[in-house]
Amino acid sequence: MNNRVIELKSKPSLTGFGSCVGKTESEGPISQDFDMCFSDDGINQSSWEKAECELLSNAVEIALKSANKSFDDIDIAFAGDLLNQCTPSSYSFRNKNVPFCGLFGACSTMAYSMLLATLTVDGSYADTAVAATSSHFCSAEKQFRYPVEYGSQRSPTSQRTVTGAGAFVVERNKKQKVFIPRILIGKVVDLGVTDSSNMGAAMAPAAAESISEFLKCTKTEPKDYDMILTGDLGKVGSILLKDYLINNKGYDISAVHNDCGLIIYDLEGQKVDSGGSGCGCSAAVLASHIMKRMNNRELKKVLFIGTGALMSPLISLQGESIPGIAHIVEMNI
């Protein structure tokens, strides 16, 4: 297939969206855009994993309510997270009586779930689908690095896993403000980065490959978009992405680029090193700040690129490099 961009004939609509975040995120620069903010990352639960389930469940319920839907209306749900076997997602949907697909795409999972939902709806295999994603700082730290109680020192290139969740309701043939006309499924790209504290560097090459391929296939330029939004490369990865695109692909996205990991936190004031990460980062930012700006017509054409580092603690300890992937969802009004 020469043209990897998939044109969605029915232009599936985003008819509902919801976002929930934890304490640090609710103290950031876009706190007023989130639907639900918790002052305690424990969210009145007995474990961090249960707290993440609560985040995701609330985000899905808010999205359904905003679309005037219930779980009985959902034909299929696509959801994922960072933890082993996608347990927060699976547990959030137990007893909901909804056909469910659990996904792992690391930080690309929001884009991954959205593109699968739109493909399913566009192909008439479902009328209504849910795409949802979550992450939690404490549960992710425990799995991928060290429990927070250990107090390990963080690298300046590291990113803080967002405690948050986002969800979307996707429907066919609905004349809503925000719709999805095109998507691109990313390729696995590995340029040999082995530092698990520098996810931005590992994911930036995949983002560059997908963005340049999308622009080439659609015969568009960066200036044709109000925003080219990555999620989440953070400060280091965003610099590398822009440099790589200019020097290797001939595209300058500097004027329109932003990153969910830079939007959600005040990097200096909150001391979050290189910014936010985790699949809940782009999910929460997209299902709040970006959707509200699109509904207000501040943004009319957004290219969302979900970037993921496809590694595990075990494979990193074995000295393997970190492959990256980047999926693209075009969002228009």
Side-chain angles (χ1 to χ4, degrees):
M1 185 170 67
N2 294 325
N3 191 334
R4 284 168 50 204
V5 175
I6 300 172
E7 301 272 352
L8 302 170
K9 295 179 182 178
S10 71
K11 295 180 174 56
S13 298
L14 301 176
T15 59
F17 54 96
S19 58
C20 296
V21 296
K23 182 178 186 295
T24 305
E25 295 70 25
S26 67
E27 296 169 345
I30 61 168
S31 58
Q32 71 282 355
D33 291 332
F34 299 122
D35 294 300
M36 187 176 290
C37 296
F38 292 94
S39 58
D40 175 13
D41 286 347
I43 313 176
N44 299 318
Q45 302 298 312
S46 59
S47 72
W48 303 124
E49 291 75 17
K50 289 182 179 179
E52 185 173 342
C53 291
E54 192 71 9
L55 281 171
L56 186 58
S57 296
N58 277 290
V60 172
E61 288 175 5
I62 293 167
L64 289 173
K65 185 176 180 180
S66 70
N68 294 315
K69 298 288 183 182
S70 70
F71 283 101
D72 292 337
D73 299 313
I74 303 307
D75 298 312
I76 189 168
F78 298 93
D81 53 79
L82 294 176
L83 301 190
N84 289 337
Q85 288 78 49
C86 298
T87 45
S89 300
S90 302
Y91 277 63
S92 295
F93 278 92
R94 62 179 176 180
N95 305 322
K96 300 300 184 186
N97 197 33
V98 173
F100 170 79
C101 292
L103 310 174
F104 178 79
C107 296
S108 73
T109 306
M110 188 71 259
Y112 186 22
S113 62
M114 288 176 76
L115 69 83
L116 288 176
T118 56
L119 281 171
T120 305
V121 166
D122 189 62
S124 300
Y125 301 109
D127 293 321
T128 306
V130 163
T133 308
S134 68
S135 60
H136 195 293
F137 174 69
C138 295
S139 64
E141 286 296 305
K142 185 165 65 174
Q143 176 166 305
F144 286 95
R145 284 170 283 272
Y146 300 98
V148 291
E149 296 87 350
Y150 182 75
S152 62
Q153 188 169 349
R154 296 170 62 82
S155 164
T157 61
S158 67
Q159 295 168 246
R160 179 185 174 91
T161 301
V162 163
T163 298
F168 290 90
V169 176
V170 182
E171 295 187 75
R172 187 176 67 252
N173 299 328
K174 294 288 184 180
K175 294 182 180 179
Q176 297 292 317
K177 285 184 180 178
V178 183
F179 64 91
I180 299 175
R182 297 182 286 203
I183 59 173
L184 180 141
I185 299 172
K187 292 180 178 179
V188 178
V189 178
D190 188 344
L191 294 191
V193 175
T194 58
D195 183 0
S196 61
S197 295
N198 193 353
M199 295 290 96
M203 297 185 290
E209 192 280 332
S210 292
I211 292 169
S212 59
E213 183 71 10
F214 189 94
L215 294 175
K216 182 183 75 173
C217 290
T218 57
K219 296 181 172 57
T220 56
E221 298 289 334
K223 65 182 180 181
D224 295 324
Y225 300 92
D226 297 314
M227 182 182 288
I228 293 179
L229 178 70
T230 48
D232 342 279
L233 298 177
K235 183 179 180 180
V236 173
S238 294
I239 293 170
L240 292 173
L241 168 66
K242 287 180 278 191
D243 287 348
Y244 191 91
L245 279 172
I246 291 173
N247 295 324
N248 295 279
K249 303 293 184 178
Y251 291 109
D252 185 357
I253 66 170
S254 302
V256 293
H257 174 260
N258 210 333
D259 184 78
C260 296
L262 301 178
I263 292 172
I264 197 166
Y265 294 130
D266 172 4
L267 266 62
E268 297 300 325
Q270 293 187 283
K271 297 184 177 8
V272 290
D273 300 310
S274 189
S277 70
C279 42
C281 180
S282 60
V285 172
L286 199 69
S288 60
H289 183 67
I290 300 302
M291 283 296 291
K292 288 178 180 179
R293 290 189 67 189
M294 294 195 78
N295 282 327
N296 291 335
R297 303 187 70 84
E298 295 174 37
L299 299 171
K300 297 180 180 179
K301 200 170 184 179
V302 174
L303 204 62
F304 169 52
I305 304 96
T307 61
L310 305 178
M311 45 79 75
S312 73
L314 179 63
I315 207 76
S316 293
L317 289 171
Q318 292 174 352
E320 267 284 5
S321 56
I322 303 169
I325 197 163
H327 303 299
I328 295 184
V329 176
E330 182 181 345
M331 300 164 61
N332 292 353
I333 62 171

